[in-house]
Amino acid sequence: MLELFTPHFASKFIEENPCPLRTQVEYSPKEYIHIKGFSADPVGDNKAKIADGILHKYKGRILVLVTDACALHCRFCFRRNQKNAPIKNLPQKLSGVLANDPNIKEVILSGGDPLMLSDNELQNFFDVIPAHINIRIHSRMPIAKPERFTPQLLQMLKILGHRLIFVLHCNHPNELDEKSKRIFNFLSKNKITVLNQSVLLNGVNDNAQTLAELSQKLFSQFVMPYYLHQLDRAQGTAHFEVPLLTATKIFKKLKELLPGYLVPKFVKEVAGKKSKVWL
Ligand code: SF4
């Protein structure tokens, strides 16, 4: 069973058992237990496909699966059961979709992790997105492999400026360090909005104190907490799920610990819905 994580991520593992970072990437035999209600496509990606690699779920936004590759293999990943062959000429296909739909205001580059692409491949996507359309990148790279943020990549992101919304996926305060802080400092100094989304995970961050610490540490690194997701029920991830009743109690406590601007929205993605559902 493939476990994949970077030396940088592993350097933050701790002896404590369970280690909140190791738990996110370490294989568990529980992944083979089939539980009713957990499926290969829990958020309805397949139904939302309008072209190979391009999804249209929410009004005014399209999502592009630019790669399957990631620097980490998160065992709770909601796309863990979906492996697609690389799609040829995806930037050109994206360009065609954008030309035919004047209502698109934002393109979300997702995957996988978009920053697994080379700078040239990434630039090919930037080049086909007209200037009036915002670009959102979802990535775990600042905490998985900060060395990916080379001066060249930073310069490419800087050029996008306020059109770029960078959404970090970070679940535990131990994932953040001085290297991530330097990256976010650069992005925020260059008018790039930096947000974070987390998944509520059993054995990782399923208590209000840890989540409060995460929000505070994110803020100290110029990142605003954005979403806290109830787990998407992908097959093989049931052992990560926090029951909804427990989850709502944790979230209630979290609200008591933080000023409102540091409280992420607690949401769930429901296949076929026109927006995320607030819990
Ligand atoms: S897509 Fe995101 S959550 Fe899934 S394995 Fe890659 S980095 Fe982890």
Side-chain angles (χ1 to χ4, degrees):
M1 181 55 61
L2 181 64
E3 283 176 357
L4 180 71
F5 41 84
T6 57
H8 181 74
F9 195 75
S11 73
K12 292 178 275 186
F13 289 172
I14 53 172
E15 288 305 315
E16 191 183 304
N17 201 8
C19 164
L21 272 60
R22 186 190 289 275
T23 302
Q24 294 181 51
V25 292
E26 195 172 58
Y27 165 73
S28 161
K30 291 177 189 158
E31 294 175 28
Y32 279 120
I33 303 172
H34 283 255
I35 307 263
K36 203 171 163 218
F38 286 74
S39 66
D41 181 16
V43 296
D45 277 357
N46 287 331
K47 274 200 175 151
K49 228 174 240 177
I50 54 169
D52 277 347
I54 302 179
L55 312 185
H56 194 175
K57 283 188 182 173
Y58 303 138
K59 210 171 161 55
R61 284 152 280 171
I62 54 170
L63 188 141
V64 190
L65 301 172
V66 299
T67 174
D68 273 346
C70 293
L72 305 173
H73 278 187
C74 311
R75 308 310 308 183
F76 55 85
C77 179
F78 70 101
R79 293 207 176 106
R80 55 175 282 145
N81 303 302
Q82 298 175 38
K83 291 290 163 233
N84 303 308
I87 298 157
K88 277 194 189 145
N89 303 324
L90 191 52
Q92 288 70 24
K93 286 181 181 141
L94 171 62
S95 176
V97 169
L98 295 176
N100 284 324
D101 189 346
N103 297 316
I104 300 298
K105 304 282 185 282
E106 185 178 33
V107 172
I108 302 164
L109 302 182
S110 183
D113 193 315
L115 296 185
M116 291 297 282
L117 297 183
S118 70
D119 290 353
N120 283 344
E121 289 168 328
L122 201 56
Q123 189 63 49
N124 288 340
F125 282 99
F126 295 166
D127 286 346
V128 297
I129 302 173
H132 67 280
I133 296 180
N134 292 331
I135 300 174
R136 195 189 322 166
I137 290 179
H138 281 251
S139 176
R140 254 159 104 59
M141 205 59 87
I143 46 108
K145 199 174 177 187
E147 63 271 26
R148 172 67 186 91
F149 289 80
T150 59
Q152 292 82 347
L153 176 64
L154 289 170
Q155 186 57 29
M156 283 168 56
L157 301 179
K158 180 180 174 176
I159 288 169
L160 295 175
H162 76 281
R163 282 179 67 209
L164 178 62
I165 301 99
F166 189 96
V167 182
L168 171 70
H169 291 201
C170 172
N171 300 313
H172 191 280
N174 290 4
E175 293 171 45
L176 299 162
D177 57 19
E178 281 308 306
K179 289 185 176 173
S180 62
K181 187 174 185 176
R182 277 199 289 278
I183 294 165
F184 302 134
N185 186 25
F186 178 91
L187 297 179
S188 58
K189 266 190 182 162
N190 286 289
K191 303 193 176 84
I192 294 162
T193 300
V194 191
L195 307 171
N196 180 63
Q197 65 177 42
S198 310
V199 185
L200 186 62
L201 297 168
N202 181 36
V204 174
N205 59 8
D206 53 337
N207 66 82
Q209 284 73 22
T210 299
L211 291 169
E213 197 193 321
L214 173 61
S215 277
Q216 282 156 339
K217 198 161 174 187
L218 286 164
F219 187 69
S220 75
Q221 299 206 354
F222 320 101
V223 182
M224 290 307 292
Y226 169 44
Y227 279 145
L228 172 66
H229 279 263
Q230 180 68 357
L231 183 83
D232 295 319
R233 302 184 104 194
Q235 202 172 298
T237 66
H239 54 296
F240 281 110
E241 189 175 53
V242 178
L244 191 55
L245 188 60
T246 311
T248 49
K249 283 183 187 159
I250 293 169
F251 187 64
K252 184 169 178 282
K253 179 80 183 153
L254 179 64
K255 287 197 288 185
E256 292 166 6
L257 295 178
L258 290 170
Y261 61 90
L262 289 185
V263 180
K265 296 180 189 88
F266 182 34
V267 294
K268 175 152 186 65
E269 185 164 344
V270 179
K273 288 266 181 195
K274 290 188 174 157
S275 67
K276 303 219 168 164
V277 177
W278 290 31
L279 298 171

